Coordinates of all heavy atoms in Angstrom, one line a residue:
A1 N 58.7 -46.6 4.0 CA 57.4 -46.1 3.7 C 57.5 -44.5 3.6 O 58.2 -43.9 4.3 CB 56.4 -46.5 4.8
G2 N 56.7 -44.0 2.6 CA 56.8 -42.5 2.4 C 55.8 -41.8 3.3 O 54.9 -42.4 3.9
H3 N 56.0 -40.6 3.4 CA 55.1 -39.7 4.2 C 54.2 -39.0 3.3 O 54.6 -38.4 2.3 CB 56.0 -38.7 5.0 CG 55.2 -37.6 5.7 ND1 54.5 -37.9 6.8 CD2 55.0 -36.3 5.4 CE1 53.9 -36.8 7.2 NE2 54.1 -35.8 6.3
R4 N 52.9 -39.0 3.6 CA 51.9 -38.2 2.8 C 51.5 -37.0 3.6 O 51.2 -37.0 4.7 CB 50.7 -39.1 2.6 CG 50.8 -40.0 1.5 CD 49.5 -40.6 1.2 NE 48.7 -39.7 0.3 CZ 47.7 -40.1 -0.4 NH1 47.2 -41.3 -0.2 NH2 47.1 -39.3 -1.2
C5 N 51.5 -35.9 2.9 CA 51.1 -34.6 3.4 C 49.6 -34.7 3.7 O 48.8 -35.1 2.9 CB 51.3 -33.5 2.4 SG 50.7 -31.9 2.9
A6 N 49.2 -34.3 5.0 CA 47.8 -34.3 5.4 C 46.9 -33.5 4.5 O 45.8 -33.9 4.2 CB 47.7 -33.8 6.8
A7 N 47.4 -32.4 4.0 CA 46.6 -31.6 3.1 C 46.4 -32.2 1.8 O 45.4 -31.9 1.0 CB 47.2 -30.2 2.9
M8 N 47.2 -33.2 1.4 CA 47.0 -33.8 0.1 C 46.4 -35.2 0.2 O 46.3 -36.0 -0.7 CB 48.3 -34.0 -0.6 CG 48.9 -32.6 -1.1 SD 48.0 -31.7 -2.3 CE 47.3 -30.4 -1.4
S9 N 45.9 -35.5 1.4 CA 45.2 -36.8 1.6 C 43.8 -36.6 1.0 O 43.4 -35.7 0.4 CB 45.1 -37.1 3.1 OG 44.3 -36.1 3.8
G10 N 42.9 -37.6 1.3 CA 41.6 -37.6 0.8 C 40.6 -36.4 1.2 O 39.7 -36.1 0.5
A11 N 40.9 -35.8 2.3 CA 40.0 -34.7 2.8 C 40.2 -33.5 2.0 O 41.4 -33.1 1.7 CB 40.3 -34.5 4.3
S12 N 39.2 -32.8 1.7 CA 39.3 -31.5 1.0 C 39.9 -30.4 1.9 O 39.5 -30.3 3.0 CB 37.9 -31.1 0.5 OG 38.0 -29.9 -0.2
Q13 N 40.8 -29.7 1.3 CA 41.5 -28.7 2.1 C 41.4 -27.3 1.3 O 41.1 -27.3 0.1 CB 43.0 -29.0 2.3 CG 43.2 -30.3 2.9 CD 42.9 -30.3 4.4 OE1 43.3 -29.4 5.1 NE2 42.3 -31.3 4.9
R14 N 41.7 -26.2 2.0 CA 41.8 -24.9 1.4 C 43.3 -24.7 1.1 O 44.1 -24.8 2.1 CB 41.3 -23.8 2.3 CG 39.8 -23.9 2.6 CD 39.4 -22.7 3.5 NE 38.0 -22.7 3.8 CZ 37.1 -22.0 3.1 NH1 37.6 -21.2 2.1 NH2 35.9 -22.1 3.3
V15 N 43.6 -24.4 -0.1 CA 45.0 -24.3 -0.5 C 45.2 -22.9 -1.1 O 44.4 -22.4 -2.0 CB 45.4 -25.3 -1.6 CG1 46.8 -25.1 -2.0 CG2 45.2 -26.7 -1.1
A16 N 46.2 -22.1 -0.6 CA 46.5 -20.8 -1.1 C 47.8 -21.0 -2.0 O 48.7 -21.6 -1.6 CB 46.8 -19.8 0.0
V17 N 47.7 -20.5 -3.2 CA 48.8 -20.6 -4.1 C 49.3 -19.2 -4.4 O 48.6 -18.3 -4.9 CB 48.5 -21.3 -5.5 CG1 49.7 -21.2 -6.4 CG2 48.1 -22.7 -5.2
L18 N 50.5 -18.9 -4.0 CA 51.1 -17.5 -4.2 C 51.8 -17.6 -5.5 O 52.8 -18.4 -5.7 CB 52.1 -17.2 -3.1 CG 51.6 -17.3 -1.7 CD1 52.7 -16.9 -0.7 CD2 50.3 -16.5 -1.4
G19 N 51.3 -16.8 -6.5 CA 51.9 -16.8 -7.8 C 50.9 -17.1 -8.9 O 49.8 -17.5 -8.6
S20 N 51.2 -16.7 -10.1 CA 50.3 -16.9 -11.2 C 51.1 -17.3 -12.5 O 50.5 -17.2 -13.6 CB 49.5 -15.6 -11.5 OG 50.4 -14.6 -11.8
G21 N 52.3 -17.8 -12.3 CA 53.0 -18.3 -13.5 C 52.8 -19.8 -13.8 O 51.8 -20.4 -13.3
A22 N 53.6 -20.4 -14.6 CA 53.4 -21.8 -15.0 C 53.4 -22.7 -13.9 O 52.6 -23.6 -13.8 CB 54.5 -22.1 -16.0
F23 N 54.4 -22.6 -12.9 CA 54.5 -23.5 -11.8 C 53.3 -23.3 -10.9 O 52.7 -24.3 -10.4 CB 55.7 -23.3 -11.0 CG 56.0 -24.2 -9.9 CD1 56.0 -25.5 -10.1 CD2 56.1 -23.7 -8.6 CE1 56.2 -26.4 -9.0 CE2 56.3 -24.6 -7.5 CZ 56.3 -25.9 -7.7
A24 N 52.8 -22.1 -10.6 CA 51.7 -21.8 -9.8 C 50.4 -22.4 -10.4 O 49.6 -23.1 -9.8 CB 51.4 -20.3 -9.6
A25 N 50.3 -22.3 -11.7 CA 49.1 -22.8 -12.5 C 49.1 -24.3 -12.4 O 48.0 -24.9 -12.1 CB 49.1 -22.4 -13.9
A26 N 50.3 -24.9 -12.5 CA 50.3 -26.4 -12.4 C 50.0 -26.9 -11.0 O 49.2 -27.9 -10.9 CB 51.8 -26.9 -12.8
M27 N 50.5 -26.2 -10.0 CA 50.2 -26.6 -8.6 C 48.7 -26.4 -8.3 O 48.0 -27.2 -7.7 CB 51.0 -25.9 -7.6 CG 52.5 -26.2 -7.7 SD 52.9 -27.9 -7.3 CE 53.0 -28.7 -8.9
A28 N 48.2 -25.3 -8.8 CA 46.7 -25.0 -8.5 C 45.9 -26.0 -9.2 O 44.9 -26.5 -8.6 CB 46.4 -23.5 -9.0
A29 N 46.2 -26.3 -10.5 CA 45.4 -27.3 -11.2 C 45.5 -28.7 -10.6 O 44.4 -29.3 -10.4 CB 45.9 -27.4 -12.7
H30 N 46.7 -29.1 -10.1 CA 46.8 -30.4 -9.5 C 46.0 -30.5 -8.2 O 45.2 -31.4 -8.0 CB 48.3 -30.6 -9.2 CG 48.5 -31.9 -8.4 ND1 48.4 -33.1 -8.9 CD2 48.8 -32.1 -7.1 CE1 48.7 -34.0 -8.0 NE2 48.9 -33.4 -6.9
C31 N 46.1 -29.5 -7.4 CA 45.3 -29.4 -6.1 C 43.8 -29.4 -6.4 O 43.0 -30.1 -5.7 CB 45.7 -28.3 -5.2 SG 47.4 -28.4 -4.6
G32 N 43.4 -28.6 -7.4 CA 42.0 -28.5 -7.7 C 41.4 -29.8 -8.2 O 40.3 -30.2 -7.9
R33 N 42.2 -30.5 -9.0 CA 41.8 -31.8 -9.6 C 41.7 -32.9 -8.5 O 41.0 -33.8 -8.6 CB 42.7 -32.2 -10.7 CG 42.5 -31.5 -11.9 CD 43.3 -32.0 -13.1 NE 43.2 -31.1 -14.2 CZ 44.3 -30.3 -14.6 NH1 45.5 -30.5 -14.0 NH2 44.2 -29.5 -15.5
R34 N 42.4 -32.7 -7.4 CA 42.3 -33.6 -6.3 C 41.2 -33.2 -5.3 O 41.1 -33.9 -4.2 CB 43.6 -33.6 -5.5 CG 44.7 -34.3 -6.4 CD 46.0 -34.5 -5.6 NE 45.9 -35.3 -4.4 CZ 46.2 -36.6 -4.3 NH1 46.6 -37.2 -5.4 NH2 46.0 -37.2 -3.2
G35 N 40.4 -32.3 -5.7 CA 39.2 -31.9 -4.9 C 39.4 -30.8 -3.8 O 38.5 -30.6 -3.0
H36 N 40.5 -30.1 -3.9 CA 40.8 -29.1 -2.9 C 40.3 -27.7 -3.4 O 40.3 -27.5 -4.7 CB 42.3 -29.0 -2.6 CG 42.8 -30.3 -2.0 ND1 42.4 -30.8 -0.8 CD2 43.7 -31.2 -2.6 CE1 43.1 -32.0 -0.7 NE2 43.8 -32.2 -1.7
K37 N 39.9 -26.8 -2.5 CA 39.5 -25.5 -2.9 C 40.8 -24.6 -2.9 O 41.4 -24.5 -1.9 CB 38.5 -24.9 -1.9 CG 38.0 -23.6 -2.2 CD 36.9 -23.1 -1.3 CE 36.6 -21.7 -1.5 NZ 35.3 -21.4 -2.0
V38 N 41.1 -24.1 -4.1 CA 42.3 -23.4 -4.3 C 42.1 -21.9 -4.6 O 41.2 -21.6 -5.4 CB 43.1 -24.0 -5.5 CG1 44.4 -23.2 -5.7 CG2 43.3 -25.5 -5.3
K39 N 42.8 -21.1 -4.0 CA 42.8 -19.6 -4.2 C 44.2 -19.1 -4.6 O 45.1 -19.3 -3.8 CB 42.3 -18.8 -2.9 CG 42.1 -17.4 -3.1 CD 40.9 -17.0 -4.0 CE 39.6 -17.2 -3.3 NZ 38.5 -16.6 -4.0
M40 N 44.3 -18.6 -5.8 CA 45.6 -18.1 -6.3 C 45.7 -16.6 -5.9 O 44.8 -15.9 -6.1 CB 45.7 -18.3 -7.8 CG 45.7 -19.7 -8.2 SD 45.8 -19.9 -10.0 CE 47.5 -19.5 -10.3
F41 N 46.9 -16.2 -5.4 CA 47.1 -14.9 -5.1 C 47.9 -14.3 -6.2 O 49.1 -14.7 -6.5 CB 47.9 -14.7 -3.8 CG 48.3 -13.2 -3.5 CD1 47.4 -12.2 -3.6 CD2 49.5 -13.0 -3.1 CE1 47.8 -10.9 -3.3 CE2 50.0 -11.7 -2.8 CZ 49.1 -10.6 -2.9
V42 N 47.3 -13.3 -7.0 CA 48.0 -12.7 -8.2 C 48.6 -11.4 -7.8 O 47.9 -10.5 -7.3 CB 46.9 -12.6 -9.3 CG1 47.5 -11.8 -10.5 CG2 46.4 -13.9 -9.7
R43 N 49.9 -11.3 -8.0 CA 50.5 -10.0 -7.8 C 51.7 -9.9 -8.8 O 52.8 -10.5 -8.5 CB 51.0 -9.9 -6.4 CG 51.6 -8.5 -6.1 CD 51.8 -8.4 -4.6 NE 52.2 -7.0 -4.3 CZ 52.4 -6.6 -3.1 NH1 52.4 -7.4 -2.1 NH2 52.7 -5.3 -2.9
G44 N 51.5 -9.3 -9.9 CA 52.5 -9.3 -10.9 C 53.3 -8.0 -11.0 O 53.1 -7.0 -10.2
R45 N 54.2 -8.0 -11.9 CA 55.1 -6.8 -12.1 C 54.4 -5.7 -12.9 O 54.9 -4.6 -13.0 CB 56.4 -7.2 -12.7 CG 57.2 -8.2 -11.9 CD 58.4 -8.5 -12.6 NE 59.1 -9.6 -11.9 CZ 60.2 -10.1 -12.2 NH1 60.8 -9.7 -13.4 NH2 60.8 -11.0 -11.5
M46 N 53.3 -6.0 -13.6 CA 52.7 -5.1 -14.5 C 51.7 -4.1 -13.8 O 51.2 -3.2 -14.4 CB 51.9 -5.9 -15.6 CG 52.9 -6.8 -16.4 SD 54.3 -6.0 -17.1 CE 53.5 -5.0 -18.4
G47 N 51.4 -4.3 -12.6 CA 50.5 -3.3 -11.9 C 49.1 -3.9 -11.6 O 48.7 -4.9 -12.1
A48 N 48.4 -3.1 -10.9 CA 47.0 -3.5 -10.4 C 46.1 -3.8 -11.6 O 45.3 -4.7 -11.5 CB 46.5 -2.4 -9.5
T49 N 46.1 -3.0 -12.7 CA 45.2 -3.2 -13.8 C 45.4 -4.5 -14.4 O 44.5 -5.3 -14.7 CB 45.3 -2.0 -14.8 OG1 45.0 -0.8 -14.2 CG2 44.3 -2.2 -15.9
E50 N 46.6 -4.9 -14.7 CA 47.0 -6.1 -15.3 C 46.7 -7.3 -14.4 O 46.2 -8.3 -14.8 CB 48.4 -6.2 -15.8 CG 48.7 -5.2 -17.0 CD 47.8 -5.5 -18.2 OE1 47.7 -6.7 -18.6 OE2 47.3 -4.6 -18.7
D51 N 46.9 -7.1 -13.1 CA 46.6 -8.2 -12.1 C 45.1 -8.4 -12.1 O 44.7 -9.6 -12.1 CB 47.0 -7.8 -10.7 CG 48.6 -7.7 -10.6 OD1 49.3 -8.2 -11.5 OD2 49.0 -7.2 -9.5
A52 N 44.3 -7.4 -12.2 CA 42.8 -7.5 -12.2 C 42.4 -8.3 -13.4 O 41.5 -9.1 -13.4 CB 42.2 -6.2 -12.1
K53 N 43.0 -8.0 -14.6 CA 42.7 -8.7 -15.8 C 43.0 -10.1 -15.7 O 42.2 -11.0 -16.2 CB 43.4 -8.1 -17.0 CG 42.9 -6.7 -17.5 CD 43.7 -6.3 -18.6 CE 43.4 -4.8 -19.0 NZ 44.3 -4.4 -20.1
L54 N 44.1 -10.5 -15.1 CA 44.5 -11.9 -15.0 C 43.6 -12.6 -14.0 O 43.2 -13.7 -14.3 CB 45.9 -12.0 -14.5 CG 46.5 -13.4 -14.3 CD1 46.4 -14.2 -15.6 CD2 48.0 -13.3 -13.9
V55 N 43.2 -12.0 -13.0 CA 42.2 -12.6 -12.0 C 40.9 -12.9 -12.8 O 40.3 -14.0 -12.6 CB 42.0 -11.7 -10.8 CG1 40.7 -12.1 -10.0 CG2 43.2 -11.7 -9.9
K56 N 40.5 -11.9 -13.6 CA 39.2 -12.2 -14.3 C 39.4 -13.3 -15.3 O 38.5 -14.2 -15.5 CB 38.8 -10.9 -15.1 CG 37.5 -11.0 -15.9 CD 37.2 -9.7 -16.5 CE 35.8 -9.9 -17.2 NZ 35.4 -8.6 -17.9
A57 N 40.5 -13.4 -16.0 CA 40.8 -14.5 -16.9 C 40.8 -15.9 -16.2 O 40.2 -16.8 -16.7 CB 42.1 -14.3 -17.6
I58 N 41.3 -15.9 -15.0 CA 41.3 -17.2 -14.3 C 39.9 -17.5 -13.8 O 39.5 -18.6 -13.9 CB 42.3 -17.1 -13.1 CG1 43.8 -16.9 -13.6 CG2 42.1 -18.3 -12.1 CD1 44.8 -16.6 -12.5
N59 N 39.2 -16.5 -13.2 CA 37.9 -16.8 -12.6 C 36.8 -17.0 -13.7 O 35.8 -17.7 -13.3 CB 37.5 -15.6 -11.7 CG 38.4 -15.6 -10.4 OD1 39.1 -16.6 -10.1 ND2 38.5 -14.5 -9.8
T60 N 36.9 -16.4 -14.8 CA 35.8 -16.6 -15.8 C 36.3 -17.5 -17.0 O 35.4 -18.2 -17.5 CB 35.4 -15.2 -16.4 OG1 36.4 -14.6 -17.0 CG2 34.8 -14.3 -15.3
G61 N 37.5 -17.4 -17.4 CA 38.0 -18.2 -18.5 C 38.7 -19.5 -18.2 O 39.0 -20.3 -19.0
R62 N 38.9 -19.7 -16.9 CA 39.6 -20.9 -16.4 C 40.9 -21.1 -17.0 O 41.4 -22.2 -17.1 CB 38.7 -22.1 -16.7 CG 37.2 -22.1 -16.3 CD 36.8 -21.7 -14.9 NE 37.7 -22.3 -13.9 CZ 37.9 -21.6 -12.7 NH1 37.4 -20.4 -12.5 NH2 38.6 -22.1 -11.8
S63 N 41.6 -20.0 -17.3 CA 43.0 -20.2 -17.9 C 43.8 -18.9 -17.6 O 43.3 -17.9 -17.2 CB 43.0 -20.4 -19.4 OG 42.5 -19.3 -20.1
I64 N 45.1 -19.1 -17.8 CA 46.1 -18.0 -17.7 C 46.6 -17.8 -19.1 O 47.4 -18.6 -19.6 CB 47.2 -18.3 -16.7 CG1 46.5 -18.6 -15.3 CG2 48.2 -17.2 -16.6 CD1 47.5 -19.1 -14.2
P65 N 46.2 -16.7 -19.7 CA 46.6 -16.4 -21.1 C 48.1 -16.6 -21.4 O 48.5 -17.2 -22.4 CB 46.2 -15.0 -21.4 CG 45.0 -14.8 -20.4 CD 45.4 -15.6 -19.2
K66 N 49.0 -16.1 -20.6 CA 50.4 -16.2 -20.8 C 50.9 -17.7 -20.8 O 51.8 -18.0 -21.5 CB 51.3 -15.3 -19.9 CG 51.2 -15.8 -18.5 CD 52.1 -14.8 -17.6 CE 52.0 -15.3 -16.2 NZ 52.7 -14.4 -15.2
I67 N 50.3 -18.5 -20.0 CA 50.6 -19.9 -19.9 C 50.2 -20.6 -21.2 O 50.9 -21.4 -21.8 CB 50.0 -20.6 -18.7 CG1 50.4 -19.8 -17.4 CG2 50.4 -22.0 -18.6 CD1 52.0 -19.7 -17.2
V68 N 49.0 -20.3 -21.7 CA 48.4 -20.9 -22.9 C 49.4 -20.6 -24.0 O 49.7 -21.4 -24.8 CB 47.0 -20.4 -23.2 CG1 46.5 -20.8 -24.5 CG2 46.1 -20.8 -22.1
R69 N 49.9 -19.3 -24.1 CA 50.8 -18.9 -25.2 C 52.1 -19.7 -25.1 O 52.7 -20.1 -26.1 CB 51.1 -17.4 -25.2 CG 49.9 -16.6 -25.7 CD 50.4 -15.1 -25.9 NE 50.9 -14.5 -24.7 CZ 50.2 -13.9 -23.8 NH1 48.9 -13.8 -23.9 NH2 50.9 -13.3 -22.8
Q70 N 52.5 -20.0 -23.9 CA 53.9 -20.6 -23.7 C 53.8 -22.2 -23.9 O 54.7 -22.8 -24.4 CB 54.4 -20.3 -22.3 CG 54.8 -18.9 -22.1 CD 55.1 -18.6 -20.6 OE1 55.1 -19.4 -19.8 NE2 55.5 -17.3 -20.4
V71 N 52.8 -22.8 -23.3 CA 52.8 -24.3 -23.3 C 51.5 -24.9 -23.9 O 51.3 -26.1 -23.8 CB 52.9 -24.8 -21.8 CG1 54.3 -24.4 -21.2 CG2 51.8 -24.4 -20.9
G72 N 50.6 -24.1 -24.5 CA 49.4 -24.6 -25.1 C 48.2 -24.6 -24.1 O 48.3 -24.0 -23.0
A73 N 47.1 -25.2 -24.5 CA 45.9 -25.2 -23.7 C 46.1 -25.7 -22.3 O 46.8 -26.7 -22.1 CB 44.9 -26.0 -24.4
H74 N 45.6 -25.0 -21.4 CA 45.7 -25.4 -19.9 C 44.4 -24.8 -19.3 O 44.3 -23.6 -19.1 CB 47.0 -24.8 -19.3 CG 47.2 -25.2 -17.9 ND1 47.6 -26.5 -17.6 CD2 47.0 -24.5 -16.8 CE1 47.7 -26.5 -16.2 NE2 47.3 -25.4 -15.7
T75 N 43.5 -25.7 -18.9 CA 42.3 -25.2 -18.2 C 42.4 -25.6 -16.8 O 42.8 -26.7 -16.3 CB 41.1 -26.0 -18.8 OG1 41.1 -25.7 -20.2 CG2 39.8 -25.5 -18.2
L76 N 42.0 -24.6 -16.0 CA 42.0 -24.7 -14.5 C 40.6 -25.3 -14.1 O 39.6 -24.9 -14.6 CB 42.2 -23.4 -13.8 CG 43.6 -22.8 -14.1 CD1 43.6 -21.4 -13.6 CD2 44.7 -23.6 -13.4
P77 N 40.6 -26.2 -13.1 CA 39.4 -26.7 -12.5 C 38.5 -25.6 -11.9 O 39.0 -24.6 -11.5 CB 39.8 -27.7 -11.5 CG 41.2 -28.0 -11.7 CD 41.8 -26.7 -12.4
D78 N 37.2 -25.9 -11.8 CA 36.3 -24.9 -11.2 C 36.6 -24.6 -9.8 O 36.2 -23.6 -9.3 CB 34.8 -25.4 -11.3 CG 34.3 -25.4 -12.8 OD1 34.9 -24.7 -13.6 OD2 33.3 -26.1 -13.0
S79 N 37.3 -25.5 -9.1 CA 37.6 -25.3 -7.7 C 38.8 -24.3 -7.5 O 39.2 -24.0 -6.4 CB 38.0 -26.6 -7.0 OG 39.0 -27.3 -7.7
V80 N 39.4 -23.8 -8.6 CA 40.5 -22.9 -8.6 C 39.9 -21.5 -8.9 O 39.2 -21.3 -9.9 CB 41.6 -23.2 -9.6 CG1 42.7 -22.2 -9.6 CG2 42.2 -24.6 -9.2
S81 N 40.2 -20.5 -8.0 CA 39.9 -19.1 -8.3 C 41.1 -18.3 -8.0 O 42.1 -18.7 -7.4 CB 38.7 -18.7 -7.5 OG 38.9 -18.8 -6.1
A82 N 41.0 -17.0 -8.3 CA 42.1 -16.1 -8.1 C 41.6 -14.8 -7.4 O 40.5 -14.4 -7.5 CB 42.8 -15.8 -9.4
T83 N 42.6 -14.1 -6.8 CA 42.3 -12.8 -6.2 C 43.6 -12.0 -6.1 O 44.7 -12.5 -6.2 CB 41.8 -13.0 -4.7 OG1 41.5 -11.7 -4.2 CG2 42.8 -13.7 -3.8
V84 N 43.4 -10.6 -6.0 CA 44.6 -9.7 -5.8 C 44.7 -9.4 -4.3 O 45.6 -8.6 -3.9 CB 44.4 -8.4 -6.7 CG1 44.6 -8.8 -8.1 CG2 43.2 -7.7 -6.3
D85 N 43.8 -9.9 -3.5 CA 43.8 -9.7 -2.1 C 44.4 -10.8 -1.3 O 44.0 -11.9 -1.2 CB 42.3 -9.5 -1.6 CG 42.1 -9.2 -0.2 OD1 43.1 -9.4 0.6 OD2 41.0 -8.8 0.2
S86 N 45.6 -10.5 -0.7 CA 46.4 -11.5 0.0 C 45.6 -12.1 1.2 O 45.6 -13.3 1.4 CB 47.7 -11.0 0.5 OG 47.5 -9.9 1.4
G87 N 44.8 -11.2 1.9 CA 44.0 -11.7 3.0 C 43.0 -12.7 2.5 O 42.8 -13.7 3.2
E88 N 42.3 -12.5 1.4 CA 41.4 -13.4 0.9 C 42.0 -14.7 0.5 O 41.5 -15.8 0.8 CB 40.7 -12.8 -0.3 CG 39.6 -13.7 -0.9 CD 39.0 -13.1 -2.2 OE1 39.2 -11.9 -2.4 OE2 38.3 -13.9 -2.9
A89 N 43.2 -14.6 -0.1 CA 43.9 -15.9 -0.5 C 44.3 -16.7 0.6 O 44.2 -17.9 0.6 CB 45.1 -15.5 -1.4
L90 N 44.8 -16.1 1.7 CA 45.3 -16.8 2.8 C 44.3 -17.2 3.9 O 44.6 -18.0 4.8 CB 46.5 -16.0 3.5 CG 47.7 -15.7 2.5 CD1 48.6 -14.7 3.2 CD2 48.4 -17.0 2.2
D91 N 43.1 -16.6 3.8 CA 42.1 -16.8 4.8 C 41.8 -18.3 5.0 O 41.3 -18.9 4.1 CB 40.8 -16.0 4.5 CG 39.7 -16.1 5.5 OD1 40.1 -16.0 6.7 OD2 38.6 -16.3 5.2
R92 N 42.0 -18.8 6.2 CA 41.7 -20.2 6.6 C 42.4 -21.2 5.7 O 41.9 -22.3 5.5 CB 40.2 -20.4 6.6 CG 39.5 -19.6 7.7 CD 38.0 -19.8 7.8 NE 37.4 -19.4 6.6 CZ 36.2 -19.7 6.2 NH1 35.5 -20.6 6.9 NH2 35.7 -19.3 5.0
A93 N 43.6 -20.8 5.1 CA 44.3 -21.8 4.3 C 44.9 -22.9 5.1 O 45.5 -22.7 6.2 CB 45.4 -21.1 3.5
D94 N 44.7 -24.1 4.7 CA 45.3 -25.3 5.4 C 46.7 -25.5 4.9 O 47.6 -26.1 5.5 CB 44.5 -26.6 5.1 CG 43.1 -26.5 5.6 OD1 42.9 -26.2 6.8 OD2 42.1 -26.5 4.8
L95 N 47.0 -25.0 3.6 CA 48.3 -25.2 3.0 C 48.6 -24.0 2.2 O 47.7 -23.5 1.4 CB 48.2 -26.5 2.1 CG 49.5 -26.8 1.3 CD1 50.6 -27.2 2.3 CD2 49.2 -28.0 0.4
I96 N 49.8 -23.5 2.2 CA 50.2 -22.4 1.4 C 51.4 -22.8 0.5 O 52.4 -23.3 1.0 CB 50.7 -21.2 2.3 CG1 49.5 -20.7 3.2 CG2 51.2 -20.0 1.4 CD1 50.0 -19.8 4.3
L97 N 51.2 -22.7 -0.8 CA 52.2 -23.0 -1.7 C 52.9 -21.8 -2.3 O 52.2 -21.0 -2.9 CB 51.7 -23.9 -2.9 CG 51.0 -25.2 -2.5 CD1 50.4 -25.9 -3.7 CD2 52.0 -26.1 -1.8
H98 N 54.2 -21.6 -2.1 CA 54.9 -20.4 -2.6 C 55.4 -20.8 -3.9 O 56.4 -21.6 -4.1 CB 56.0 -20.0 -1.6 CG 56.7 -18.8 -2.0 ND1 57.9 -18.8 -2.8 CD2 56.5 -17.5 -1.8 CE1 58.3 -17.6 -3.0 NE2 57.5 -16.8 -2.4
C99 N 54.8 -20.3 -5.0 CA 55.1 -20.6 -6.4 C 55.6 -19.4 -7.2 O 55.2 -19.2 -8.3 CB 53.9 -21.3 -7.1 SG 53.3 -22.8 -6.3
V100 N 56.4 -18.6 -6.5 CA 56.9 -17.4 -7.1 C 58.4 -17.6 -7.3 O 59.2 -18.0 -6.5 CB 56.7 -16.2 -6.2 CG1 57.2 -14.9 -6.8 CG2 55.2 -16.1 -5.8
A101 N 58.9 -17.2 -8.5 CA 60.3 -17.2 -8.8 C 61.1 -16.4 -7.8 O 60.5 -15.4 -7.3 CB 60.6 -16.7 -10.2
V102 N 62.3 -16.7 -7.5 CA 63.0 -16.1 -6.4 C 63.2 -14.6 -6.7 O 63.1 -13.8 -5.8 CB 64.4 -16.8 -6.2 CG1 65.3 -16.6 -7.4 CG2 65.0 -16.3 -4.9
Q103 N 63.3 -14.2 -8.0 CA 63.5 -12.8 -8.3 C 62.2 -12.0 -8.1 O 62.3 -10.8 -7.9 CB 64.0 -12.6 -9.8 CG 63.1 -13.1 -10.8 CD 63.3 -14.5 -11.2 OE1 63.8 -15.3 -10.5 NE2 63.0 -14.8 -12.5
G104 N 61.1 -12.6 -8.0 CA 59.8 -11.9 -7.8 C 59.3 -12.1 -6.4 O 58.3 -11.4 -6.0
S105 N 60.0 -12.8 -5.5 CA 59.6 -13.1 -4.2 C 59.6 -11.8 -3.3 O 58.7 -11.7 -2.4 CB 60.4 -14.1 -3.5 OG 60.2 -15.4 -4.1
Y106 N 60.5 -10.9 -3.6 CA 60.6 -9.7 -2.7 C 59.3 -8.9 -2.7 O 58.7 -8.5 -1.7 CB 61.7 -8.8 -3.2 CG 61.9 -7.6 -2.3 CD1 62.4 -7.6 -1.1 CD2 61.4 -6.3 -2.8 CE1 62.6 -6.5 -0.3 CE2 61.5 -5.2 -2.0 CZ 62.1 -5.3 -0.7 OH 62.2 -4.2 0.0
Q107 N 58.7 -8.7 -3.9 CA 57.5 -7.9 -4.0 C 56.3 -8.6 -3.4 O 55.3 -8.0 -2.9 CB 57.1 -7.5 -5.4 CG 56.5 -8.6 -6.3 CD 56.4 -8.2 -7.7 OE1 57.3 -7.8 -8.4 NE2 55.2 -8.4 -8.2
Y108 N 56.3 -9.9 -3.2 CA 55.2 -10.7 -2.6 C 55.2 -10.4 -1.1 O 54.1 -10.6 -0.5 CB 55.3 -12.2 -2.9 CG 54.5 -12.5 -4.1 CD1 54.9 -12.2 -5.4 CD2 53.2 -13.2 -3.9 CE1 54.1 -12.5 -6.4 CE2 52.5 -13.5 -5.0 CZ 52.9 -13.2 -6.2 OH 52.1 -13.5 -7.3
R109 N 56.3 -10.1 -0.5 CA 56.3 -9.9 1.0 C 55.8 -8.5 1.4 O 55.6 -8.2 2.5 CB 57.6 -10.3 1.6 CG 58.8 -9.5 1.0 CD 60.0 -9.7 1.8 NE 60.5 -8.3 1.9 CZ 61.6 -8.0 2.5 NH1 62.4 -8.9 3.0 NH2 62.1 -6.8 2.5
E110 N 55.7 -7.6 0.4 CA 55.2 -6.3 0.7 C 53.7 -6.2 0.9 O 53.0 -6.9 0.4 CB 55.6 -5.3 -0.4 CG 57.1 -5.2 -0.5 CD 57.5 -4.3 -1.7 OE1 56.7 -4.0 -2.6 OE2 58.6 -3.8 -1.7

């Protein structure tokens, strides 16, 4: 018999997703579609202005423009939102998903 993660069971959970790339978007969308409240933590290499633009695109447009260009239409559920504030993303999280490529992981720990 397999083991089911408690956070992915029927009860709604708070999920923090670290990252904003294709894998992070897929995990956020999956968790959001299962009824979980998801907060993505955006911290890119392009700086604060670009991060803020991406947060706005996620929170108002329900998509990540670079992902749409790479893989086509991808809409995030309403239960998914984004922030540039790590404290806000991690606040009361039941589950934290690290979805950052290894080469970008260093800047996430700062």
Side-chain angles (χ1 to χ4, degrees):
H3 171 74
R4 276 189 87 165
C5 176
M8 294 294 108
S9 67
S12 179
Q13 303 287 317
R14 292 179 179 266
V15 180
V17 175
L18 307 182
S20 58
F23 183 59
M27 294 296 96
H30 174 74
C31 292
R33 287 188 192 107
R34 291 186 58 100
H36 303 294
K37 183 176 170 114
V38 180
K39 185 69 78 168
M40 296 177 74
F41 174 50
V42 174
R43 186 171 191 179
R45 297 179 185 179
M46 301 305 291
T49 301
E50 291 302 312
D51 291 349
K53 286 181 187 177
L54 181 53
V55 166
K56 183 176 181 180
I58 293 169
N59 292 341
T60 61
R62 313 303 323 144
S63 70
I64 300 175
K66 68 181 177 182
I67 304 303
V68 172
R69 286 192 304 273
Q70 292 171 359
V71 298
H74 183 75
T75 303
L76 295 168
D78 290 341
S79 58
V80 175
S81 63
T83 183
V84 294
D85 181 342
S86 61
E88 180 184 344
L90 298 170
D91 184 43
R92 296 182 294 162
D94 298 301
L95 179 67
I96 300 168
L97 300 176
H98 184 267
C99 301
V100 179
V102 69
Q103 64 270 28
S105 292
Y106 181 78
Q107 77 185 54
Y108 264 77
R109 55 171 226 184
E110 294 177 345

